[in-house]
Amino acid sequence: MEKRIEVLSRRLQGYKFTPQRRLVLEVFLENEGDHLSAEEAYNLARVKDKDIGIATIYRTLDLLEEVGILHKSDFGDGRKRYELSQEGQDEHHHHHLVCLGCRRIQEVEEDLLNQLEGLVEEEKGFLIVDHRVQFYGYCRPCREKERG
Amino acid sequence: MEKRIEVLSRRLQGYKFTPQRRLVLEVFLENEGDHLSAEEAYNLARVKDKDIGIATIYRTLDLLEEVGILHKSDFGDGRKRYELSQEGQDEHHHHHLVCLGCRRIQEVEEDLLNQLEGLVEEEKGFLIVDHRVQFYGYCRPCREKERG
DNA sequence: ATCCGTGCAAAACCTTTGCAAGGCG
DNA sequence: CGCCTTGCAAAGGTTTTGCACGGAT
């Protein structure tokens, strides 16, 4: 954990690695795989530093996204969400499963969209630089609970 | 146009077909294919009725979505957008091209996602009931302007 | 008279910004 | 000192809500 924080913090060259910024980073490392909203990150951070401000959270999220540590998403629930960027991933292939039951978000790895993208570029002359794919439905636990 | 309005208005059974609601419907019919935000719809509606209120627009958009006349989307630009639902379309297959240059949104018809959806359901046990696919990039006019 | 729908203004919600104070080289 | 960062509070942008008025049944 210490090691990972240290490695990630190197991307903050030119910016100070303040206790608050470190704290936000910790929160995301401790909740890896989660897609946290600013408020959620704020609440988690406040457990360790009750004086941290929400504005600092927003500013830190912006910063961490700018340097590529976090990735911002929007699932249409009225707030932006952030997740730890996967190392070595080219930042372009994100598929999310948004459960309409529990609102949990999981990821899918496959990228079968490439052929579709090729078609679109060819037919529409539209140069694709990013895409967003979200599936809405019900995850296995929610489906089982429903049946139960 | 009159005919289409009359047909669509039948879906409002149980609700009054007021002049304001009719006006909002007209705006969407006259701008078919566009993805209008509440404010845009408001401005277009005000041309014909300068006294219409923004709250009425919001309430009407909700209502028209509820009865299936409009479809709501969120392209991550901080406001919800509405488009006329396509007749006979099962409301499930929307692909959008969001131009990062001019912010115009166009649609793609193909649905090559079915196979991907099948895979997801099989592997993750996630029952998909809707999806959102958005491509971000540059449309042909913007690319040509760039080159010029 | 009763509903429902409207317009206005206020509130709500998430996010950003201004600013004075703090931290640290 | 000078610069960056912080926390607070205020402001901003979008959407929702409370409320009294008004029109239609």
Side-chain angles (χ1 to χ4, degrees):
Chain A
M1 171 83 167
E2 285 306 312
K3 179 65 180 166
R4 293 188 66 194
I5 291 181
E6 200 256 309
V7 171
L8 286 174
S9 71
R10 287 188 209 135
R11 296 203 206 163
L12 289 172
Q13 47 176 289
Y15 302 97
K16 292 183 185 163
F17 190 47
T18 66
Q20 290 89 341
R21 287 171 180 173
R22 183 197 171 88
L23 183 45
V24 171
L25 205 44
E26 279 178 30
V27 160
F28 277 90
L29 282 167
E30 288 167 1
N31 295 276
E32 195 155 8
D34 282 7
H35 302 68
L36 303 176
S37 66
E39 194 190 355
E40 287 165 354
Y42 177 51
N43 289 332
L44 289 166
R46 253 196 315 187
V47 172
K48 299 184 184 178
D49 173 2
K50 66 175 178 38
D51 291 327
I52 198 168
I54 185 76
T56 300
I57 300 291
Y58 277 106
R59 285 184 285 228
T60 302
L61 293 175
D62 276 357
L63 175 60
L64 295 181
E65 194 211 356
E66 189 189 318
V67 302
I69 292 177
L70 295 181
H71 178 75
K72 177 161 59 177
S73 301
D74 177 343
F75 298 105
D77 64 343
R79 66 200 71 188
K80 288 161 193 156
R81 292 184 173 274
Y82 296 81
E83 68 198 288
L84 223 40
S85 277
Q86 311 282 29
E87 298 294 330
Q89 185 174 306
D90 78 355
E91 201 60 67
H92 179 245
H93 305 301
H94 284 249
H95 299 187
H96 290 108
L97 308 181
V98 182
C99 181
L100 298 171
C102 58
R103 276 277 154 193
R104 262 196 291 268
I105 296 156
Q106 56 176 301
E107 311 218 348
V108 209
E109 313 75 21
E110 300 81 16
D111 193 350
L112 301 180
L113 281 172
N114 289 329
Q115 47 179 324
L116 179 55
E117 291 197 1
L119 228 98
V120 164
E121 285 196 32
E122 216 173 279
E123 290 190 7
K124 308 273 177 184
F126 191 96
L127 176 66
I128 295 173
V129 301
D130 195 9
H131 66 227
R132 219 160 62 172
V133 179
Q134 289 152 28
F135 295 111
Y136 294 85
Y138 296 90
C139 62
R140 202 189 315 262
C142 281
R143 293 170 72 185
E144 281 162 4
K145 197 184 301 169
E146 201 63 28
R147 276 199 225 94
Chain B
M1 171 84 165
E2 285 307 312
K3 179 64 180 168
R4 294 189 64 195
I5 290 182
E6 200 256 310
V7 171
L8 286 174
S9 71
R10 287 187 208 135
R11 296 204 207 161
L12 288 172
Q13 48 177 288
Y15 302 97
K16 291 180 185 166
F17 190 47
T18 65
Q20 290 89 341
R21 288 171 180 173
R22 183 196 171 89
L23 182 45
V24 172
L25 205 44
E26 278 177 30
V27 161
F28 276 90
L29 282 167
E30 288 166 1
N31 295 274
E32 195 154 8
D34 283 6
H35 301 70
L36 303 176
S37 66
E39 194 191 355
E40 287 165 353
Y42 177 50
N43 289 332
L44 289 166
R46 251 195 318 186
V47 172
K48 299 184 185 176
D49 173 2
K50 66 176 177 41
D51 291 326
I52 197 168
I54 183 76
T56 299
I57 299 291
Y58 277 105
R59 285 184 284 229
T60 302
L61 293 176
D62 275 358
L63 175 61
L64 295 181
E65 194 210 354
E66 189 190 317
V67 302
I69 293 177
L70 295 182
H71 178 72
K72 176 160 59 177
S73 300
D74 177 343
F75 298 106
D77 65 343
R79 67 200 71 185
K80 288 161 193 156
R81 293 184 170 275
Y82 297 81
E83 68 197 288
L84 224 40
S85 278
Q86 312 282 29
E87 299 293 331
Q89 185 174 307
D90 77 356
E91 202 60 67
H92 179 246
H93 305 300
H94 283 251
H95 299 188
H96 291 107
L97 308 182
V98 182
C99 181
L100 297 171
C102 58
R103 277 276 155 195
R104 262 195 290 268
I105 296 156
Q106 54 176 301
E107 312 217 348
V108 208
E109 312 75 23
E110 301 82 16
D111 194 349
L112 301 181
L113 281 172
N114 289 329
Q115 46 181 324
L116 179 54
E117 292 197 0
L119 228 99
V120 164
E121 285 196 31
E122 217 172 278
E123 289 190 9
K124 310 273 176 183
F126 191 97
L127 176 68
I128 295 172
V129 302
D130 195 9
H131 66 228
R132 222 159 61 171
V133 179
Q134 289 151 29
F135 295 111
Y136 294 86
Y138 297 91
C139 62
R140 203 189 314 264
C142 282
R143 293 170 72 184
E144 281 162 4
K145 197 183 303 169
E146 202 63 27
R147 278 200 224 91

